[in-house]
Each structure stands twice: as C-alpha cells, then as structure tokens.
Amino acid sequence: MNDVDVQYKNDILETIIDSAYEWIVVVNTEGNIVYINKNYCQFLEIEQEEALGKHVSKVIENSRMHIVAKSGKEEIADLQYIKGNYMIANRIPIFSDGKLIGALGTVIFRDTKEWNKMNSHIKSLMPKLQTYLQDWEDNNGAKYTLQDIKSISPHILQLKEKVKNVASGNISVLIRGESGTGKELFAHSIHHLSPRSHHPFIKVNCGAIPEHLLESELFGYEEGAFTGAKKGGKKGKFLLAHGGTIFLDEIGDMPVNMQVKLLRVLQEKEVEPVGAVKPIPVDVRVIAATNRPLEKMIEEKRFREDLFYRINVIPFKIPPLRERPEDIPHLTDFFLEKISRRAGKRITMIDEEVRNVFNQHSWPGNLRELENVIEAAVHLTDGERITISSLPESLKGDPKILIGQLSLKEILEETEKRIIERTLEQFHQDKLEAAKALGISKSSMYDKIKKYRLETEELQA
C-alpha cells in the first residue's frame, strides 16, 4: 500500500471519528491526551491542538482516564460530572502485544436526561418481545404497556408521547377520566417505561376497601396491633411497593381522615404501620386516578386541597370515547379480532347498520362498554358477520332516546344474560361445556344461571 492510500484511509478514519456522536478521548500511560475528537473539544471550549499533549485532568473535569491508563481496569457506564451535568462515560484500557499503552474514553450519553430518554425508548419496544414481556409480568404487577393503548385519536397519541416524557421521573401523576376510558393502562405504561420497572407495581382500589381496613391495607400493621392481627404483622401496600410504583385508583373515594395520613406519607416519605413505635422510610412513586370532580369535592370539603396539589403534579386527562369518534371503528375492529380469536370463531365482517349504531351511541361506559358489546355480539352471532340482531336490546333502538333509560350495569347484565342463554342453547344445556366456551368456572356458570333465573326442567335435572 503506497503513502497516498495510507493518507487517504487515515483522512477517512479521522473524519469519521471527529464526526462521531460520542465524545472521544485517548490518553497514554502517563495520562497525557494523544487524541480528542472535535465534538468533545467544542463542548469543552478548547482547541484540538491546545488539548493534545496536556494531562487529561487539566482538560476534562473529574476525569479518571489517567487512572484507567495505569490500572488497565475498564470502567463502563460510569457517572461523571462535567460542566454542571452528570454524564455517562466508558473508559477502556488499550493494549498492544499484551502491553498496556493507554486508554480510550467515550461519553455515550451527554447527560442523564439522554440516558433516561433512551432507556424509556428501549423499554417501549420491549413489549414486542412477548416472552420477555411475560417474564416481566410474572415479576411485577404491571400488565399493560403503551402497545396496549390502541387509538388513532390525536389527543390519545399526544398522551402516549407524554407518558414517554414523564416516565423517567419520580414526580406524582394524576390520571383523570370517566370509567372505562383506560386510566389503568396509562398507569401501567408509565411504570413499565420508568427506571422503577424492575420493582413492584402495586394497585390499590381506594373505593373498594372498607374504610376501617384502609389504613392497615395501605400502611400495614405490627403483630398484636389489634384483635385478629396476623402473627408477625403484615406489610402494607406502600411497603410492598418500595422501590417501585403504587397506583391509587379511585383516589376520590378515599375518606378524608385517610387523606391526611396519605399526605403525611407523601411529604415525609415514611409510613407508620398500625401499632408501630416508629415510622419506616419508603421510596415509592405515586400514580393516582379518579373519575370524580376533585375541584368540586375540595369546595365541599370532601377532598383535601393540599393532597390534590401533591398528587396533581403531572395531570393526564383522558377524553371519553364519545369525544373521539374516530376511535370507534378502529377499536371495534381491534376488539372484534381479539375476541373472535379468543372465542375460536371466524367472524370477518360487521354490517354497516351495526357500525352506524356504534357511531350514534354515546358509549357511557366508554371502551369497556364497547368491548363488552362486541364480546356479546361475537358469542351471539351464528355466522361470520356481526348483524344488528346480535346486539343488546339497548343498542337496537335510537341511542339518543335510550340515553339515561338504562344504566351501564343494566346494559351489561342484560348482555351477559343473553350470552349465557345462547351459549347454553349452543351446547345443548351442557353447563360445563358452556362455561369452558365462555372462559368461566362451572361454579360461576351455576351462579349466573341462578342469578338470571335461567333454570329449566332440563337444567335442574
């Protein structure tokens, strides 16, 4: 190879290294800089020629390059404080013929925000690897990810981007929206993309736990704290979530006296189990959700204003399905494919008449109601298409007239009754086979038959 070719290749290599996204520096065993790329020099505000030959500690703040060049021990992904920011640096010893001749240093992420952003981005892709996702679900309580939030609505897509931006922090999040809009999916997604994702995700439904049990459920209790207390005591939800995330669902239903105790936990970052003599430090991120009008409740003294501002650091407002009509056909097709596959049916079409009914309906139960209606239609359809006869009675008339006549509970109960009736007919009143087809236990099938008074002489035999 002639000198021209060597110089040509050297020029190419130098251009590539100088233009590299990472900042690069090379030192000899004495710690003197023998190479530093232009990007690094621009950040350090020093000319390349001026840096060459100087001891690295005189050029780069808090450098350990000279130490690695002496020890020969690499340092990977180490935090280094440079010009007001923590940056993530690699330091790798260089050997030639088995002899240590210096060290190579690179700054991969120029500050910790870049690292957190990249970390969140990588984690957002992980759910596509189903085996890996299942392993995660088995080891923490978060089941859903951004991939599970199906929408083409610009508002929802903006919220999904917002999740990526806030996931890496520790600040509290308040998710608001009507029942069935998918608040829990957003809570799970924030945890999955956060640095806490390998720690627990603990959900607490504040409205489902009796008031007299809520304190011990949240904060735990010591042995002998009260009559009936378990031997050895019990860890509360906050301690179970230590290092991870606690999701306080329906926080608007929390009694005022418990709101005071919760506020203290959030302020002091410690919990005091019932019967304990001293508090226990706890590190949790709080995500809360509600469908209640908290501002009005504050005026009525039913929700503490100071707690509201503590949990409402980053607000998420999820619009109801009726305010994003573009999602109705999109979600209809998604639910149809998912439910048909699960039910083992081949349903490929939905009549235009059915789609018109869906587009006119107000969907008071939001996504949950839409999914339940489609599940009912799948089980009630004999052919390969969803027709108007497959829908609940409440959807067959003029939806505008029916608004307010039936509650969501009544709609769902009516739908469930019809599904069970049709399934029993399909399996010739064989309750076990019908239960298997619907994915419920035989005892649940008996309970529902009794609830809806579906017993016949044949069933009772």
Side-chain angles (χ1 to χ4, degrees):
M1 185 180 293
N2 59 45
D3 291 343
V4 174
D5 289 336
V6 171
Q7 183 60 42
Y8 176 75
K9 289 191 174 183
N10 285 343
D11 288 342
I12 291 175
L13 182 59
E14 185 171 348
T15 300
I16 292 170
I17 294 174
D18 274 339
S19 304
Y21 178 77
E22 295 90 350
W23 297 334
I24 298 172
V25 63
V26 179
V27 301
N28 59 23
T29 52
E30 301 302 316
N32 297 324
I33 296 174
V34 296
Y35 180 81
I36 183 168
N37 71 341
K38 289 180 180 177
N39 279 349
Y40 211 167
C41 288
Q42 287 172 4
F43 170 72
L44 296 171
E45 298 177 325
I46 188 173
E47 293 296 326
Q48 201 171 23
E49 295 75 17
E50 185 182 351
L52 294 175
K54 284 190 175 181
H55 195 273
V56 67
S57 63
K58 303 289 186 184
V59 177
I60 302 173
E61 188 179 359
N62 299 312
S63 178
R64 289 178 51 84
M65 288 293 298
H66 52 297
I67 298 172
V68 173
K70 285 284 187 185
S71 69
K73 295 179 181 178
E74 68 177 25
E75 296 178 355
I76 303 296
D78 186 44
L79 283 178
Q80 182 175 345
Y81 191 79
I82 309 177
K83 295 183 73 171
N85 272 311
Y86 280 101
M87 304 183 184
I88 298 172
N90 292 335
R91 307 180 191 99
I92 302 169
I94 301 173
F95 293 88
S96 178
D97 294 328
K99 182 181 178 182
L100 181 63
I101 61 170
L104 164 70
T106 62
V107 177
I108 302 177
F109 298 96
R110 294 175 293 186
D111 59 52
T112 50
K113 289 180 182 177
E114 285 186 1
W115 165 253
N116 285 329
K117 185 176 179 181
M118 178 65 74
N119 198 27
S120 293
H121 175 68
I122 291 171
K123 287 179 181 176
S124 72
L125 301 176
M126 285 298 184
K128 296 178 181 178
L129 305 174
Q130 292 299 321
T131 304
Y132 191 73
L133 172 61
Q134 188 61 51
D135 181 62
W136 267 13
E137 290 178 354
D138 290 341
N139 287 284
N140 65 49
K143 299 177 183 177
Y144 307 109
T145 71
L146 280 181
Q147 307 296 327
D148 295 303
I149 301 174
K150 307 297 181 181
S151 176
I152 58 172
S153 161
H155 195 148
I156 299 297
L157 295 179
Q158 288 174 9
L159 288 178
K160 289 176 74 169
E161 287 301 312
K162 189 174 181 180
V163 167
K164 294 178 184 178
N165 292 332
V166 306
S168 60
N170 280 319
I171 43 185
S172 300
V173 176
L174 177 61
I175 305 172
R176 307 180 73 170
E178 295 178 7
S179 178
T181 50
K183 297 188 291 294
E184 186 170 346
L185 271 66
F186 278 91
H188 285 238
S189 299
I190 292 170
H191 174 76
H192 255 300
L193 297 183
S194 77
R196 297 173 176 267
S197 59
H198 57 291
H199 291 293
F201 177 89
I202 303 296
K203 177 186 174 182
V204 182
N205 189 324
C206 301
I209 302 172
E211 184 174 346
H212 66 283
L213 296 178
L214 191 54
E215 181 175 5
S216 60
E217 279 294 311
L218 286 176
F219 311 136
Y221 58 79
E222 296 293 312
E223 182 176 341
F226 49 83
T227 303
K230 289 181 181 179
K231 186 177 181 180
K234 177 185 175 181
K235 275 190 173 183
K237 302 293 188 184
F238 269 87
L239 286 176
L240 291 174
H242 182 69
T245 304
I246 190 165
F247 175 42
L248 300 176
D249 199 9
E250 305 299 346
I251 196 169
D253 296 332
M254 180 178 284
V256 175
N257 67 311
M258 279 305 302
Q259 294 175 28
V260 177
K261 294 178 180 180
L262 173 61
L263 180 62
R264 183 182 179 280
V265 172
L266 301 183
Q267 289 175 333
E268 306 298 330
K269 300 188 185 304
E270 58 186 25
V271 297
E272 193 168 327
V274 178
V277 294
K278 63 179 182 178
I280 303 171
V282 66
D283 171 28
V284 295
R285 183 184 195 172
V286 174
I287 300 176
T290 186
N291 60 2
R292 305 287 295 276
L294 296 186
E295 290 84 358
K296 184 178 179 181
M297 292 175 68
I298 290 171
E299 292 177 8
E300 297 170 351
K301 308 297 182 185
R302 291 188 293 132
F303 199 86
R304 291 185 62 95
E305 186 174 14
D306 45 8
L307 177 59
F308 174 76
Y309 289 118
R310 175 66 65 170
I311 62 174
N312 194 39
V313 180
I314 297 181
F316 273 73
K317 181 69 170 69
I318 305 177
L321 189 54
R322 63 182 173 275
E323 291 181 9
R324 40 185 173 115
E326 66 273 21
D327 268 347
I328 294 174
H330 176 73
L331 289 168
T332 296
D333 293 336
F334 168 72
F335 288 140
L336 178 63
E337 182 183 355
K338 182 180 87 168
I339 294 166
S340 298
R341 193 186 314 118
R342 189 172 65 204
K345 287 193 168 187
R346 187 176 182 272
I347 299 176
T348 56
M349 291 187 64
I350 297 179
D351 281 359
E352 197 61 32
E353 186 181 8
V354 173
R355 291 191 181 274
N356 289 337
V357 168
F358 284 2
N359 289 334
Q360 293 175 45
H361 188 55
S362 63
W363 299 110
N366 293 294
L367 280 68
R368 188 179 296 127
E369 182 188 1
L370 176 59
E371 183 173 10
N372 286 331
V373 166
I374 293 173
E375 183 156 18
V378 167
H379 284 288
L380 296 172
T381 293
D382 296 324
E384 294 187 356
R385 60 193 300 149
I386 302 292
T387 64
I388 201 75
S389 63
S390 306
L391 301 181
E393 295 297 328
S394 57
L395 287 175
K396 291 181 183 178
D398 183 352
K400 295 177 182 177
I401 296 174
L402 290 168
I403 291 174
Q405 292 187 15
L406 292 176
S407 68
L408 176 59
K409 182 180 179 182
E410 289 169 331
I411 293 170
L412 298 181
E413 285 182 345
E414 175 200 326
T415 303
E416 185 176 60
K417 179 182 177 181
R418 294 184 65 215
I419 291 173
I420 293 170
E421 282 181 316
R422 288 285 189 93
T423 308
L424 285 167
E425 288 174 10
Q426 182 180 342
F427 289 95
H428 309 291
Q429 308 305 323
D430 186 324
K431 296 183 286 298
L432 181 58
E433 289 301 317
K436 284 182 181 177
L438 294 174
I440 62 176
S441 66
K442 188 175 181 180
S443 61
S444 293
M445 175 62 79
Y446 275 104
D447 291 341
K448 293 180 188 300
I449 289 171
K450 184 177 180 181
K451 175 182 178 180
Y452 297 120
R453 300 178 182 178
L454 299 176
E455 294 97 339
T456 65
E457 290 183 7
E458 186 177 355
L459 277 173
Q460 292 170 350

